[in-house]
Amino acid sequence: EKGEYRHFMEKEIHEQPDSVQHTLSHYLDFVNGRVKPGEIDFAAVDRIQIVACGTAFYAGQIGRYAFERLAGLPCDVEIASEFRYRNPAVAPGTLAVAVSQSGETADTLASLSWCKANGLKTAALVNVHSSSMAREALVVWPTHAGPEIGVASTKAFTAQVAALLALAVTAGVQRGRIDPLIEGELVKALFEAPRLIAEAVQMDGALRGVAHELSKATDVLFLGRGAMFPLAMEGALKLKEISYIHAEGYAAGELKHGPIALVDELTPIVALAPLDEVFEKTASNLQEVAARGGPVIMIAPKAAPDPHGAGISRIDAPDCHPLIAPLVYAIPVQLLAYYTAVEKGTDVDQPRNLAKSVTVE
Ligand code: F6R
């Protein structure tokens, strides 16, 4: 039931404080500020290989940044439809992780089976806990997003990201990279995520204005660095899926290697710019596009300095710990796509040509 909401997607966006909280509680002990040891001992894992499709693939890429940074654990992420057919060379000691809302996506399931058949330990990060992937994998890592009805994934995505961030902290602790003091800090940062997500959901006023501009565009670029890069690609995917506007997500530093040629006054550029260690780099990339006439919308906390240059408008995002920025910034990204689609009058919950679960390759 949609209740007070116009679409399931809108309802599911609003459910994210709860779905993230519920998911994090599975992995973290908030009372004592500690991670919960699970069935996988990350000290005995040499590498992680994530396989996934679509939005789950972008969640996996966000996870990769966290596993490498916090746990020093090498992590590869690949689109399952490529992984399964290219005879990948995987090192023994690799933990294979399938990320999937449904747990039924054909290519992801086949990649998981391939890894298992090739002697790897396997884990399934799934929202449907009785799914084929959950049965196939050695270990099930649940997300607790609840049933997702909207075809465009929202709360399943943030639940995947939340679980991966929590697991990366766990890996860091188990591998001796994170001492108890830092563990407490990181768990506290994650504990704050639901409240900050709830704050981000209130950003809707400013975002409706931007969505009105986006609805007139034929192309939109999303930019970010670090974990904001996969989130930029997720933002572009969301916009394509439900508003049918062409969009691409780029690493902000990659723009000058080609795509900047696309920039003109008709191509809005949405930049995801939390105040992290690469903020200044992103800001200077934004000056470059603004100088070429691109209308830039910078989503950043109030405390972030203004990049010099005309044409940069700002949307204030909640201030947050860099670890949870992908969770907090996912909200404006989803709302932008949602409001743009509503503005265009497309079928938000059932976009053309798409199915909720892709069980054929
Ligand atoms: C996008 C979307 C798809 C799915 C993809 C994988 O909004 O929902 O890209 O993420 O089809 O599906 P699951 O996670 O069920 O394996």
Side-chain angles (χ1 to χ4, degrees):
E1 259 315 301
K2 283 185 288 217
E4 65 194 282
Y5 297 103
R6 224 172 128 181
H7 298 99
F8 280 108
M9 184 178 178
E10 186 187 24
K11 174 171 179 267
E12 288 164 359
I13 289 173
H14 284 255
E15 282 170 353
Q16 290 175 107
D18 289 340
S19 50
V20 165
Q21 158 74 39
H22 196 176
T23 300
L24 286 173
S25 313
H26 181 87
Y27 298 94
L28 304 173
D29 169 0
F30 288 128
V31 176
N32 298 302
R34 294 285 167 260
V35 297
K36 291 183 185 169
E39 291 160 86
I40 294 285
D41 174 12
F42 285 99
V45 170
D46 298 331
R47 292 191 77 87
I48 292 183
Q49 172 68 60
I50 296 176
V51 288
C53 300
T55 286
F57 170 66
Y58 297 133
Q61 286 192 313
I62 292 170
R64 169 179 170 228
Y65 282 90
F67 278 115
E68 299 214 341
R69 169 183 290 243
L70 298 174
L73 190 51
C75 182
D76 294 306
V77 188
E78 191 163 347
I79 293 170
S81 57
E82 284 301 313
F83 182 87
R84 69 179 288 197
Y85 290 120
R86 72 175 178 86
N87 301 321
V90 283
T94 300
L95 170 68
V97 180
V99 181
S100 174
Q101 188 285 126
S102 63
E104 302 295 344
T105 302
D107 287 318
T108 310
L109 179 59
S111 298
L112 179 66
S113 303
W114 186 92
C115 290
K116 189 177 164 185
N118 281 271
L120 302 186
K121 269 190 210 155
T122 54
L125 180 57
V126 287
N127 197 43
V128 179
H129 308 152
S130 58
S131 58
S132 303
M133 285 180 220
R135 290 195 303 273
E136 178 77 353
L138 178 68
V139 170
V140 178
W141 285 335
T143 53
H144 290 285
E148 191 178 59
I149 310 293
V151 164
S153 183
T154 52
K155 63 176 180 169
F157 170 73
T158 47
Q160 288 160 353
V161 172
L164 289 167
L165 295 178
L167 286 161
V169 177
T170 308
V173 170
Q174 293 180 343
R175 294 167 65 82
R177 292 284 189 126
I178 293 176
D179 66 27
L181 195 74
I182 306 286
E183 178 184 0
E185 255 173 48
L186 296 175
V187 171
K188 180 162 171 280
L190 286 163
F191 179 67
E192 304 262 290
R195 179 177 64 77
L196 293 167
I197 289 171
E199 244 181 70
V201 171
Q202 302 309 319
M203 290 166 70
D204 52 358
L207 292 168
R208 273 176 214 262
V210 175
H212 180 71
E213 293 310 310
L214 298 193
S215 71
K216 294 184 281 184
T218 50
D219 301 274
V220 176
L221 299 179
F222 286 80
L223 301 182
R225 281 176 180 258
M228 293 297 117
F229 166 37
L231 189 61
M233 293 190 281
E234 166 63 4
L237 176 63
K238 248 8 23 136
L239 192 69
K240 280 186 262 210
E241 272 185 295
I242 61 167
S243 77
Y244 314 145
I245 294 171
H246 173 245
E248 297 298 334
Y250 282 107
E254 184 64 11
L255 211 66
K256 58 164 78 71
H257 301 287
I260 200 164
L262 293 171
V263 170
D264 61 18
E265 50 298 335
L266 300 175
T267 310
I269 294 133
V270 179
L272 309 174
L275 206 41
D276 55 17
E277 58 191 8
V278 288
F279 174 81
E280 290 299 332
K281 305 274 175 203
T282 306
S284 86
N285 297 133
L286 298 186
Q287 288 166 15
E288 289 159 10
V289 278
R292 284 159 184 83
V296 177
I297 301 115
M298 179 174 96
I299 305 181
K302 266 208 183 75
D306 238 337
H308 304 288
I312 297 187
S313 47
R314 297 184 60 146
I315 302 257
D316 294 334
D319 221 339
C320 67
H321 191 290
L323 177 67
I324 62 163
L327 292 170
V328 175
Y329 283 66
I331 309 303
V333 154
Q334 295 165 350
L335 286 172
L336 267 186
Y338 176 70
Y339 290 133
T340 306
V342 167
E343 186 93 17
K344 293 200 71 175
T346 53
D347 188 347
V348 170
D349 285 332
Q350 291 285 331
R352 68 186 182 200
N353 310 339
L354 295 176
K356 180 68 186 159
S357 183
V358 186
T359 51
V360 290
E361 59 173 304

